[in-house]
Structure formats: C-alpha cells, structure tokens
Amino acid sequence: MDLNPRSLFELAFYSSFLLAITSVLLAKWRLPTLLKYGKTLQGVPSKGGILGSLQSLTVPKKWFGHFYVYSTALALLNVCFLRGFASLLVLTHSARRLYETRCVSKFGKDSRIHLSHYLVGLWFYTAVNCAVFVDRTRTRSPLARLVAVIVFVLSSLDQYRNHLHLSKLVKYTLPTYGLFQLVSSPHYFDEILIYLSLAIYTSSLKMFLCLVWVIVNLSTSALETRSWYAKKFPRAAPSFAIIPYLL
C-alpha cells in the first residue's frame, strides 16, 4: 500500500469519522450523561470515581462561538485560495452561525457543555473545511446544484428564525414557533438540510460523511431534548425529536 501524503490524509479523515460516530453510539449506550448539555444537563446527579471525574470536565456553553470563529477563518482561506462556490457556502454558514452566537443566542452563565463536545466541534469544522479543500469537485447536474443552493438558503433562513425564536423565550420554556410544534429541535433539522445541500452540491464522499455525522450527532442531542420536554411538558411536548414524522 502506497502511503503517500494524500493516502495518509484519507486514512486519517475516514478513521476519525468512524471513531467519532462509534464513540457517540457507545456513549449513548453506556455513558449518556456525556451527551447532555445545557438544559438536559440540569439536575443530573454527579457520580463518583472515574465517571464522576469525566462528567465534571465541562466548559461554558457560550464557547460554541469558538467553532464558528475557527470555521469562518478556515472557510475564508478556502474562498481566497479555491474561489469555489462550495467554500463560499461553508463560509456563509459559518459566518451566520458566528453572528448568531454573538448577537442572537443567549447562553446562561451556568450553562455548560462537556469538554468532549467542544473538542469534537473543533474536529468537525476542521473536517468540513478540509473536505471542501481536498475534494474540489461538484455535481455535474446544474439542476442538482440549483436545488442544493435553494435548500441551503431556505434551511439557513429557517434556522436563523428558529434560533431567534429560542433567544426570545423565557429560559427553559416550551418553544412553539413553526416546526417546534412538531419536533423538539427543528433548528437541528435545518442543520441536516444544510449539510445535505452541501453534500449534493459538492458530490463529495467526504461531505456526505460530514452529513452522516451531523445526522447521528444531532439526532442524539435532539432525542435528549425531546426526553427533557416530555418530562417537563408531558401534555404539550412535540411528537418527534428532529425529523418530522420520522424521528
């Protein structure tokens, strides 16, 4: 096997996704506390021993903003060097999310995320921008590209409106805007659609793998959120977690 730099990168890229997806599924099965953050972490009792030490490794939830500072910088480099439309889409998404974390979202001073979430977030946005940089292809179908861009724009607008709605709520109350009446995390559904549009536009296996990660990771978080809503609002909680009429 010829392990040239490109082959080593490919091996590291695909292996990292396999490890990440496997880790989330194992954590869901054996260490579900590590998957909780924000409101779903409230009231979770601390454990002793090694598990307790792992559970206590948290950082402020507002550090989510670091992901988008980092991704915006990487995407800007891609735009400057590649000048491809896919890199511009990633830059647009990253910059919008950076704006939202700075000017729209409200993070409680006591709201925390696990350190593993933070590190995984940095890894993921590295992977996304590397996928755009390395696979500079795009789907040959103009219609598919057009559909991808339309889905990207509409889901981005909807995600912004959903985040704006969440920012105006009294803390830990039930959101009721739009798809919030049907799913507990429609902003996560928007994120899936955004990465679906990127995968379609680029026709890149690496970007499709990013999409798979987004589905697995956000579905896990959405299920935690729906479980929390079901306990706090048993009569009003939405019927689905993330994908209408499916999950």
Side-chain angles (χ1 to χ4, degrees):
M1 182 178 180
D2 182 18
L3 291 180
N4 54 55
R6 176 62 183 253
S7 298
L8 288 172
F9 169 79
E10 299 274 342
L11 179 62
F13 186 92
Y14 293 121
S15 297
S16 69
F17 273 92
L18 178 61
L19 177 62
I21 292 172
T22 302
S23 297
V24 168
L25 296 177
L26 285 175
K28 179 66 176 176
W29 177 44
R30 299 296 298 175
L31 295 170
T33 302
L34 297 184
L35 301 177
K36 299 178 184 293
Y37 63 87
K39 59 179 173 289
T40 62
L41 192 58
Q42 299 294 318
V44 176
S46 298
K47 297 181 179 180
I50 296 177
L51 289 181
S53 299
L54 289 174
Q55 183 179 325
S56 65
L57 295 174
T58 62
V59 297
K61 189 179 177 182
K62 65 181 180 181
W63 283 19
F64 266 123
H66 296 176
F67 302 156
Y68 306 112
V69 172
Y70 178 59
S71 184
T72 298
L74 292 180
L76 189 58
L77 288 174
N78 273 343
V79 168
C80 292
F81 286 103
L82 301 180
R83 299 180 182 178
F85 194 70
S87 54
L88 183 60
L89 291 177
V90 174
L91 175 61
T92 301
H93 177 58
S94 301
R96 176 182 62 81
R97 291 294 292 121
L98 174 58
Y99 167 77
E100 290 175 359
T101 56
R102 296 289 183 178
C103 303
V104 176
S105 300
K106 296 178 181 178
F107 301 108
K109 63 180 181 179
D110 297 324
S111 190
R112 314 284 295 180
I113 59 173
H114 197 268
L115 177 62
S116 61
H117 293 190
Y118 182 74
L119 297 177
V120 165
L122 294 176
W123 157 77
F124 175 70
Y125 287 104
T126 302
V128 169
N129 284 280
C130 282
V132 172
F133 181 80
V134 173
D135 288 349
R136 305 177 189 182
T137 58
R138 63 180 184 181
T139 182
R140 295 181 180 179
S141 168
L143 178 59
R145 293 200 299 270
L146 176 61
V147 170
V149 172
I150 291 174
V151 171
F152 178 89
V153 171
L154 293 180
S155 53
S156 296
L157 289 173
D158 189 63
Q159 189 178 60
Y160 173 76
R161 288 194 293 263
N162 286 330
H163 286 150
L164 190 63
H165 175 66
L166 288 173
S167 72
K168 294 179 179 179
L169 291 176
V170 176
K171 190 175 182 179
Y172 300 153
T173 55
L174 186 67
T176 57
Y177 170 80
L179 274 182
F180 277 109
Q181 300 176 51
L182 187 61
V183 298
S184 62
S185 303
H187 49 312
Y188 290 170
F189 180 51
D190 290 323
E191 191 82 357
I192 290 174
L193 293 178
I194 287 169
Y195 280 93
L196 174 62
S197 68
L198 291 172
I200 292 173
Y201 188 90
T202 60
S203 190
S204 161
L205 177 60
K206 293 181 180 63
M207 193 59 74
F208 272 103
L209 195 54
C210 291
L211 170 63
V212 171
W213 164 255
V214 168
I215 293 172
V216 171
N217 184 45
L218 294 187
S219 294
T220 302
S221 296
L223 288 169
E224 292 286 344
T225 299
R226 189 191 176 281
S227 177
W228 187 88
Y229 282 141
K231 291 177 182 177
K232 188 167 184 180
F233 310 102
R235 296 184 178 181
S239 301
F240 301 93
I242 185 168
I243 302 176
Y245 304 107
L246 184 61
L247 179 64

